[in-house]
């Protein structure tokens, strides 16, 4: 079971914020302690969440119920409700990061964010970074009314205010329909690339809305050796370690980003390289190759 999603134990009493998976450095800055929560193929395990909340006195859960980065999992309605019920019982707030939600809307119509199921408990976050461009620095937060004043104060303290140029451009993109057009194009591109990945990496789980693949490595590959071997062939992927918040049960998996590469032929070449490496016998780790000779 992957342990990727995290609970935050907030040391400052009554503090209740969290952000996105630059979560690790951010948590460090804010003096928050992150605790991993076990997941299965449907996402966060409610029992594990409740247990971790009790054991660590957590105040908040940071999660991505849709198109989870990196595992690509989208939680079904029953799991989402069970997670929310667990949060209610444990008395914890939820930060729901839906940054890839715009990619899913074509295939998951009728999907309810946690924030729609419990608007008093859930802070909902999204951003224009993945659809338009990260440089706009425009994000959106839907906040429970009871937290609004504190969140406003916090945003003022950390950001001073919204960047007016970015906000103006973002509004223009939205009002003109360009943001919607771009979202439709990105959905089409991601679906096309997932089809390409299914062709080149048959058997690797593929969600047509997801800009990533989560590749479980066959025995005896180790994540770091696999990543190193690929880098030497000009392909960069991200080992699970980058996302794990604690030592221990890090899954033997790597994330392959298929949405960010500009050219489809370059992606094709990268996926072929990856497929070829998987077909070869696993390389011996550097620890062996660099070992001292007697
Ligand atoms: C999971 C996740 N949430 C949110 C963001 C968006 O961050 P920002 O809007 O600050 O660019 C990212 C960007 O990489 C992300 O991977």
């Amino acid at each position: 079971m992957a342990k990727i999603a995290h609970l935050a134990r907030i040391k400052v009493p009554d503090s209740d914020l969290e952000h996105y998976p630059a979560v690790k450095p951010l948590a460090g800055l804010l003096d928050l302690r992150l605790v991993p929560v076990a997941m299965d193929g449907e996402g966060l395990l409610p029992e594990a969440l409740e247990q971790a909340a009790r054991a660590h006195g957590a105040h908040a859960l940071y999660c991505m119920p849709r198109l989870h980065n990196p595992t690509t999992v989208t939680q079904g309605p029953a799991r989402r409700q069970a997670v929310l019920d667990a949060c209610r019982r444990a008395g914890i707030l939820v930060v729901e990061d839906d940054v890839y939600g715009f990619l899913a809307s074509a295939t998951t119509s009728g999907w309810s964010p946690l924030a729609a199921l419990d608007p008093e408990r859930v802070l909902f976050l999204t951003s224009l970074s993945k659809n338009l461009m990260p440089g706009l620095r425009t994000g959106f937060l839907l906040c429970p009314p009871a937290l609004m004043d504190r969140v406003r104060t916090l945003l003022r303290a950390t950001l001073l205010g919204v960047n007016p140029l970015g906000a103006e451009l973002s509004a223009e993109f939205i009002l003109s329909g360009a943001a919607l057009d771009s979202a439709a194009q990105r959905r089409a591109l991601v679906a096309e690339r997932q089809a390409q990945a299914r062709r080149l990496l048959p058997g690797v789980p593929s969600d047509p809305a997801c800009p990533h693949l989560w590749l479980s490595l066959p025995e005896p590959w180790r994540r770091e050796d696999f990543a190193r071997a690929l880098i030497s062939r000009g392909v960069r992927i991200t080992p699970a370690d980058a996302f794990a918040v604690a030592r221990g049960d890090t899954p033997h998996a790597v994330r392959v980003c298929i949405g960010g590469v500009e050219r489809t032929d370059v992606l094709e070449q990268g996926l072929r390289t990856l497929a070829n490496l998987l077909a070869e016998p696993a390389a011996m780790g550097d620890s062996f190759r660099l070992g001292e000779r007697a």
Side-chain angles (χ1 to χ4, degrees):
M1 273 178 234
K3 287 195 174 177
I4 300 286
H6 0 266
L7 281 169
R9 186 181 185 289
I10 297 166
K11 287 189 189 153
V12 184
D14 279 330
S15 182
D16 45 34
L17 62 132
E18 258 298 21
H19 281 258
Y20 57 97
V23 155
K24 284 198 276 182
L26 199 53
L29 266 179
L30 296 171
D31 204 18
L32 305 180
R33 186 154 67 86
L34 294 174
V35 176
V37 179
M39 299 172 67
D40 65 8
E42 273 203 73
L44 274 178
L45 284 167
E47 318 79 63
L49 170 60
E50 232 174 317
Q51 195 187 12
R54 257 199 315 272
H56 298 277
H59 295 241
L61 165 73
Y62 166 83
C63 61
M64 293 186 76
R66 183 151 62 165
L67 297 173
H68 180 260
N69 181 11
T71 63
T72 79
V73 171
T74 291
Q75 291 174 8
R79 179 60 64 92
R80 280 202 306 285
Q81 191 57 58
V83 165
L84 213 41
D85 291 345
C87 290
R88 279 195 201 116
R89 283 193 296 271
I92 53 182
L93 281 169
V94 180
V95 177
E96 177 176 24
D97 182 344
D98 193 45
V99 74
Y100 294 112
F102 72 98
L103 289 171
S105 57
T107 52
T108 52
S109 53
W111 198 87
S112 301
L114 298 177
L117 301 174
D118 190 347
E120 302 299 320
R121 183 171 300 279
V122 183
L123 293 94
F124 179 88
L125 284 171
T126 189
S127 154
L128 294 181
S129 288
K130 306 293 178 187
N131 179 11
L132 295 173
M133 57 192 101
L136 280 175
R137 307 311 306 141
T138 303
F140 304 91
L141 169 66
L142 187 64
C143 177
L147 297 178
M148 203 58 181
D149 281 349
R150 281 152 72 193
V151 167
R152 220 181 257 129
T153 304
L154 179 84
L155 288 177
R156 253 198 307 271
T158 51
L159 300 174
L160 291 179
V162 173
N163 163 13
L165 192 55
E168 196 59 42
L169 274 171
S170 302
E172 182 58 33
F173 283 130
I174 291 168
L175 293 172
S176 68
L180 272 183
D181 291 347
S182 162
Q185 280 168 24
R186 292 214 181 259
R187 277 196 292 274
L189 182 78
V190 166
E192 207 177 281
R193 289 183 168 190
Q194 284 286 353
Q196 192 180 5
R198 278 196 298 280
R199 182 167 45 77
L200 294 166
L201 297 168
V204 174
S206 156
D207 178 334
C210 191
H212 306 126
L213 304 172
W214 185 237
L215 178 66
S216 288
L217 296 176
E219 285 274 9
W221 273 115
R222 297 192 316 168
R223 302 176 291 272
E224 58 274 38
D225 292 336
F226 191 76
R228 244 195 310 261
L230 273 181
I231 283 204
S232 71
R233 298 174 191 205
V235 177
R236 189 183 293 274
I237 45 90
T238 311
D241 312 69
F243 307 94
V245 295
R247 295 198 289 193
D249 290 349
T250 306
H252 298 291
V254 297
R255 191 195 70 176
V256 183
C257 182
I258 59 173
V261 186
E262 238 170 70
R263 283 177 29 201
T264 301
D265 60 322
V266 172
L267 178 66
E268 176 95 8
Q269 202 181 341
L271 292 175
R272 275 188 199 288
T273 305
L274 208 156
N276 289 341
L277 184 61
L278 283 172
E280 289 173 16
M284 279 181 261
D286 279 357
S287 46
F288 178 80
R289 283 201 296 270
L290 299 178
E292 282 182 328
R293 298 226 169 87

